[in-house]
Amino acid sequence: MEVSTAESIHRYWQTANARDWEAFAALLHEDVVYTIPQTGERVGGRAGYTDFNATFPGDWQVEILRVLAEGDQGVSLTAFRLGAQEQTCITFFEFEDGLIQRIVDYWPEPYEPPARMSKYVERD
Amino acid sequence: MEVSTAESIHRYWQTANARDWEAFAALLHEDVVYTIPQTGERVGGRAGYTDFNATFPGDWQVEILRVLAEGDQGVSLTAFRLGAQEQTCITFFEFEDGLIQRIVDYWPEPYEPPARMSKYVERD
């Protein structure tokens, strides 16, 4: 059965939320590489990357806010929630033979903006 | 002439890099809304959002690293460079009638990772 890129991204988060690590691992290429450019961290291989997720502490849940897919690439915008904490996560996916081969995660944090030159900027 | 979502996103950054604000504004819906969720900032309207970009200080240039488009939505991953500084920028676009109607920018910064439970995590 052919599964679309967008559908695989939805399954990725659904199986993670369900802690169904067998179904999660089945979405991954054996040589999947996961990176977090902000920290320089990297996890390689299906077994290692599944372990990284399975051992991630806490009763976290991920809400999918947006998924875009084009061919064998896709991106998700999600809200990662742990208790009262919420973090935004943006994840780029690359697929090969219908399996996730490359995952790049970004975790943007709130920050204090610089002074703006334009008078048109409003702030919540 | 019909211009694709991906092509419009490329033009958006190309015209910004060229400081061609007339061509930049022509890509935008009159009621475009730009937001930065990390700061709570918001700029509304074609004139205001063009001004925000035109007044952004410094001799910055943006390199497009990745563009994904699906229908009337798209995302770009870019490197924003100002002198020796480089920042990662992730931008979600929504189009209406071929014009950019909604722009959401994320600016993830480097951070020190927490202790990881998995032994499979490597670091640069």
Side-chain angles (χ1 to χ4, degrees):
Chain A
M1 186 185 65
E2 191 73 18
V3 175
S4 75
T5 297
E7 194 176 337
S8 288
I9 293 171
H10 281 275
R11 285 192 189 186
Y12 172 90
W13 292 118
Q14 287 160 356
T15 56
N17 279 335
R19 310 295 191 262
D20 183 349
W21 301 118
E22 197 176 332
F24 181 86
L27 300 168
L28 306 175
H29 195 285
E30 190 180 348
D31 299 324
V32 63
V33 176
Y34 169 79
T35 55
I36 308 178
Q38 290 166 273
T39 64
E41 290 173 299
R42 178 184 183 284
V43 185
R46 184 192 285 147
Y49 184 58
T50 302
D51 181 76
F52 174 74
N53 283 273
T55 60
F56 205 96
D59 188 23
W60 49 270
Q61 286 286 306
V62 177
E63 183 188 351
I64 299 171
L65 304 175
R66 198 193 288 246
V67 169
L68 289 179
E70 183 184 5
D72 59 2
Q73 293 195 49
V75 63
S76 66
L77 174 69
T78 55
F80 179 96
R81 298 205 178 90
L82 180 53
Q85 289 186 305
E86 178 174 318
Q87 282 189 280
T88 297
C89 179
I90 300 163
T91 310
F92 288 92
F93 297 89
E94 293 173 31
F95 288 73
E96 194 178 300
D97 302 328
L99 297 172
I100 299 170
Q101 161 74 12
R102 192 101 173 76
I103 306 169
V104 187
D105 248 4
Y106 293 93
W107 298 85
E109 292 275 357
Y111 67 91
E112 208 43 44
R116 302 297 190 182
M117 309 308 287
S118 175
K119 67 182 181 190
Y120 294 98
V121 182
E122 300 169 87
R123 195 167 181 206
D124 293 341
Chain B
M1 186 185 65
E2 191 73 17
V3 175
S4 75
T5 297
E7 195 175 337
S8 289
I9 294 172
H10 280 276
R11 283 192 190 186
Y12 172 91
W13 291 118
Q14 287 160 355
T15 55
N17 279 336
R19 310 296 191 263
D20 183 348
W21 302 118
E22 196 176 333
F24 180 86
L27 300 168
L28 306 175
H29 194 284
E30 189 179 348
D31 300 323
V32 63
V33 176
Y34 169 79
T35 54
I36 307 179
Q38 291 166 273
T39 64
E41 292 173 297
R42 179 185 183 283
V43 185
R46 183 192 286 147
Y49 184 58
T50 302
D51 182 76
F52 174 74
N53 283 273
T55 60
F56 204 96
D59 187 23
W60 49 271
Q61 287 286 306
V62 177
E63 183 187 352
I64 298 171
L65 303 175
R66 200 192 287 244
V67 170
L68 290 180
E70 184 184 7
D72 59 1
Q73 293 196 50
V75 62
S76 65
L77 174 69
T78 55
F80 179 95
R81 298 205 178 92
L82 179 54
Q85 289 185 305
E86 178 174 318
Q87 282 188 281
T88 298
C89 179
I90 300 163
T91 310
F92 289 91
F93 298 87
E94 294 174 29
F95 288 73
E96 194 179 299
D97 303 327
L99 297 173
I100 300 169
Q101 162 74 9
R102 193 103 174 73
I103 305 168
V104 187
D105 249 4
Y106 293 93
W107 298 84
E109 292 274 358
Y111 66 91
E112 207 45 43
R116 302 297 191 182
M117 309 308 286
S118 175
K119 67 182 180 190
Y120 294 97
V121 183
E122 299 169 87
R123 195 168 181 206
D124 293 342

